[in-house]
């Protein structure tokens, strides 16, 4: 079976390398000449654990190919995945399907008889049916099938999510589409992965409903964190108790500065806009979007308030810029909102992040450091904004001695509530009372021992 992937963005590339790992002959197509050249030379354009190694392995095995020629790649393909971007429209709410239908127009003239087109993009209900209709208009004599196969990949763990998913959803309108899609995912079926066969519309809506629900869960615990701060409770204890209820579960119950990335914000807005357009407004989702945007602004205000009444001229180290660890994605990251507010207030911003691109919008005036201690040198405060593992193991003695003033604002609750105070920090966290710092000179420093020495 020959498989073609249209689009080598995050979803398309992960899908391509993983399907080639299954043993399929896979060709990935993109219009970006530079990207295709890089991929052909085993240079991965995204940071995603495991992808580059699989890229190298399967390219060497001649199972994975890259090209800019849509016609050549689709003319003999049994399956064509469309995995192009579906960003927010100009109004910031609706989903922009223009890239999808450009791809449809380009592949339709080259599809062979019996081809199965699989829509991998995140699209509103009814889109796959429109794709089917468009191809039929362009190729009225062509026998083909369309399948909706939404992705459920988390940035930072996408390979594992593809190879060991919670479920695979196959939306179809005919038996051939179902059979071919099931064959593509047969390696997962053999390891007892739940595979759900459903309608095109069910599959499309399930993706949006899943992301919106998780976004609501994040927003819920963030509001509970605010309540904890008012009452003296500890949101981490509250969340732990909640998570023991198997009906709730403990995932996505970590209080923080709000959700970001390429999925939750965009998909929540799109679902709310689409639902409203068909007369079924989703008020919980609408509120989630509004509360999350305000949450990010509130985190920026919280950092400024911690700096005191005169923040101008002070230096703040932002530790973590990506919206989550193990990715290089800064889209709609809470850190961007915080950086913007600090710069507007005249604060000098230094940043450390293992993977964030330094030329991203909103980060032009940031001074970058290659490690967290250099970022914190002579800083008046450090802000932990992303829970990278390297920030979980900070040497607090070294960090404190690098700083001008011992103020730590932990927006991810990386540290135990009282631990930073032992090292002389004034410690501000989320959903927990502030642990005030004693004078640093009065603190007995923990003995540092070299293991094996």
């Amino acid at each position: 079976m020959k498989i073609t992937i249209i689009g080598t963005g995050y979803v398309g590339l992960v899908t391509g390398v993983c399907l080639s790992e299954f043993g399929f002959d896979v060709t990935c197509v993109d219009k970006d000449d530079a990207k295709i050249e890089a991929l052909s030379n085993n240079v991965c354009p995204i940071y995603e654990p495991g992808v580059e190694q699989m890229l190298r392995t399967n390219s060497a095995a001649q199972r994975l190919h890259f090209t800019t020629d849509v016609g050549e790649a689709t003319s003999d393909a049994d399956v064509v995945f469309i995995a192009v971007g579906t960003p927010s429209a100009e109004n910031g709410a609706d989903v922009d399907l223009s890239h999808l239908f450009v791809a449809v127009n380009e592949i339709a003239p080259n599809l062979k008889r019996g081809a199965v087109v699989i829509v991998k993009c995140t699209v509103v209900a009814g889109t796959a049916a429109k794709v089917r209709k468009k191809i039929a208009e362009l190729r009225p004599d062509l026998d083909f099938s369309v399948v909706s196969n939404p992705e459920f990949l988390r940035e930072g763990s996408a390979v594992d999510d593809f190879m060991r998913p919670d479920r695979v959803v196959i939306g179809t309108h005919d038996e051939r589409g179902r059979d071919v899609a099931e064959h593509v995912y047969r390696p997962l079926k053999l390891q007892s992965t739940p595979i759900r066969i459903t309608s095109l519309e069910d599959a499309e809506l399930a993706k949006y409903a899943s992301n919106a629900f998780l976004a609501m869960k994040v927003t819920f615990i963030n509001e509970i964190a605010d309540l904890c701060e008012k009452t003296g409770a500890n949101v981490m204890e509250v969340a732990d108790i909640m998570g023991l209820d198997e009906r709730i579960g403990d995932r996505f119950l970590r209080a923080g500065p709000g959700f970001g990335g390429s999925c939750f914000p965009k998909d929540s807005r799109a679902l709310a806009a689409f639902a409203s357009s068909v007369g079924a407004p989703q008020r919980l989702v609408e509120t989630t979007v509004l509360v999350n945007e305000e949450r990010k602004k509130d985190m920026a205000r919280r950092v400024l308030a911690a700096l005191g009444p005169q923040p101008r001229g002070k230096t703040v180290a932002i530790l973590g810029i990506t919206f989550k660890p193990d990715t290089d994605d800064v889209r709609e990251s809470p850190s961007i909102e915080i950086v913007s507010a600090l710069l507007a207030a005249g604060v000098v911003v230094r940043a450390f992040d293992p993977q964030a691109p330094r030329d991203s919008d909103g980060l032009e005036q940031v001074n970058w450091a290659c490690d967290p201690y250099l970022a914190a040198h002579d800083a008046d405060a450090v802000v932990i904004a992303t829970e990278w593992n390297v920030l979980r193991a900070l040497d607090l003695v070294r960090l404190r001695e690098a700083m001008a003033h011992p103020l730590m604002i932990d927006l991810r609750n990386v540290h135990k509530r009282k631990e930073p105070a032992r090292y002389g920090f004034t410690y501000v966290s989320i959903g927990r009372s502030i642990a005030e710092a004693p004078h640093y000179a009065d603190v007995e420093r923990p003995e540092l021992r070299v293991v094996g020495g």
Side-chain angles (χ1 to χ4, degrees):
M1 176 181 286
K2 290 190 175 182
I3 296 175
T4 291
I5 313 287
I6 307 298
T8 60
Y10 182 82
V11 173
L13 184 57
V14 171
T15 300
V17 297
C18 289
L19 289 177
S20 66
E21 185 76 7
F22 286 169
F24 292 114
D25 186 307
V26 178
T27 300
C28 297
V29 184
D30 201 288
K31 293 181 176 180
D32 188 329
D33 291 328
K35 182 185 287 188
I36 291 300
E37 182 178 359
L39 287 166
S40 298
N41 290 311
N42 293 325
V43 177
C44 189
I46 62 171
Y47 176 76
E48 180 63 38
V51 170
E52 186 162 333
Q53 181 57 50
M54 293 174 71
L55 167 65
R56 293 177 180 274
T57 299
N58 291 287
S59 294
Q62 297 295 305
R63 290 191 296 265
L64 183 60
H65 322 277
F66 300 95
T67 182
T68 58
D69 191 331
V70 176
E72 179 185 10
T74 57
S75 60
D76 62 347
D78 302 293
V79 178
V80 178
F81 279 87
I82 303 179
V84 297
T86 51
S88 296
E90 289 186 3
N91 62 12
D94 296 309
V95 60
D96 179 359
L97 299 176
S98 60
H99 300 293
L100 170 63
F101 283 100
V102 166
V104 169
N105 288 333
E106 291 181 347
I107 68 170
N110 306 294
L111 292 173
K112 72 177 186 179
R113 181 178 177 82
V116 175
V117 176
I118 299 182
V119 180
K120 197 70 175 169
C121 319
T122 300
V123 293
V124 294
T127 302
K130 292 177 181 177
V131 169
R132 183 184 172 201
K133 180 180 179 182
K134 184 63 176 177
I135 295 174
E137 290 174 353
L138 295 170
R139 297 283 302 279
D141 297 326
L142 180 67
D143 184 20
F144 69 98
S145 301
V146 171
V147 168
S148 174
N149 173 222
E151 54 86 14
F152 297 96
L153 306 177
R154 296 168 299 165
E155 293 187 58
S157 55
V159 170
D160 191 59
D161 287 344
F162 195 101
M163 306 300 277
R164 286 171 287 277
D166 296 324
R167 75 288 204 196
V168 172
V169 179
I170 297 171
T172 182
H173 64 91
D174 64 10
E175 290 187 8
R176 178 178 53 211
R178 179 198 65 197
D179 292 345
V180 170
E182 282 190 303
H183 180 72
V184 169
Y185 289 107
R186 185 171 182 270
L188 299 181
K189 188 174 184 179
L190 293 175
Q191 65 186 40
S192 301
T193 298
I195 295 181
R196 293 290 181 265
I197 309 298
T198 187
S199 71
L200 296 170
E201 293 78 14
D202 289 344
E204 292 165 328
L205 189 52
K207 163 68 175 181
Y208 276 110
S210 296
N211 276 359
F213 182 80
L214 294 175
M216 285 193 292
K217 199 172 179 182
V218 172
T219 301
F220 176 84
I221 201 63
N222 282 340
E223 294 215 305
I224 292 297
D226 289 344
L227 181 58
C228 287
E229 291 173 7
K230 297 292 186 181
T231 59
N234 184 339
V235 70
M236 298 185 75
E237 295 292 339
V238 172
D240 182 59
I241 294 167
M242 289 174 60
L244 294 174
D245 188 329
E246 63 181 16
R247 297 169 302 174
I248 299 173
D250 61 353
R251 298 173 71 181
F252 292 88
L253 285 180
R254 291 293 303 271
F259 58 78
S262 62
C263 293
F264 283 9
K266 174 178 75 72
D267 293 352
S268 296
R269 291 192 297 262
L271 176 60
F274 174 72
S276 180
S277 73
V278 298
Q282 303 294 297
R283 296 179 182 88
L284 288 175
V285 180
E286 292 170 359
T287 301
T288 295
V289 172
L290 293 174
V291 171
N292 187 65
E293 288 304 308
E294 185 58 31
R295 178 76 177 177
K296 290 189 279 189
K297 292 181 174 64
D298 182 61
M299 292 300 102
R301 289 191 289 265
R302 182 174 299 205
V303 172
L304 283 170
L307 292 176
Q310 299 295 332
R312 180 172 296 277
K314 292 185 176 181
T315 298
V316 172
I318 306 292
L319 306 184
I321 296 294
T322 57
F323 85 97
K324 64 181 292 188
D326 294 322
T327 181
D328 57 358
D329 195 346
V330 301
R331 285 174 288 184
E332 303 205 41
S333 172
S335 296
I336 303 296
E337 188 82 43
I338 294 168
V339 167
S340 177
L342 290 175
L343 291 173
V347 175
V348 176
V349 177
R350 291 206 203 99
F352 163 76
D353 190 286
Q355 294 296 331
R358 301 187 176 193
D359 58 351
S360 301
D361 291 344
L363 302 176
E364 299 88 347
Q365 300 178 56
V366 168
N367 301 302
W368 290 88
C370 60
D371 72 51
Y373 307 101
L374 288 175
H377 180 69
D378 281 340
D380 297 285
V382 295
V383 178
I384 299 178
T386 310
E387 61 272 39
W388 285 95
N389 283 336
V390 68
L391 301 180
R392 296 181 183 277
L394 285 171
D395 181 336
L396 296 185
V397 171
R398 182 180 175 189
L399 186 71
R400 167 64 187 88
E401 292 181 341
M403 297 176 64
H405 297 95
L407 171 60
M408 177 184 291
I409 305 164
D410 185 356
L411 301 182
R412 297 290 183 175
N413 291 351
V414 168
H415 295 284
K416 294 180 179 179
R417 186 176 64 86
K418 296 182 179 180
E419 187 70 7
R422 294 182 58 226
Y423 295 85
F425 285 94
T426 296
Y427 181 61
V428 180
S429 61
I430 300 296
R432 306 183 294 184
S433 60
I434 296 175
E436 294 291 347
H439 191 276
Y440 187 56
D442 299 330
V443 176
E444 181 179 347
R445 303 185 190 182
E447 180 182 355
L448 301 180
R449 294 184 297 171
V450 179
V451 177

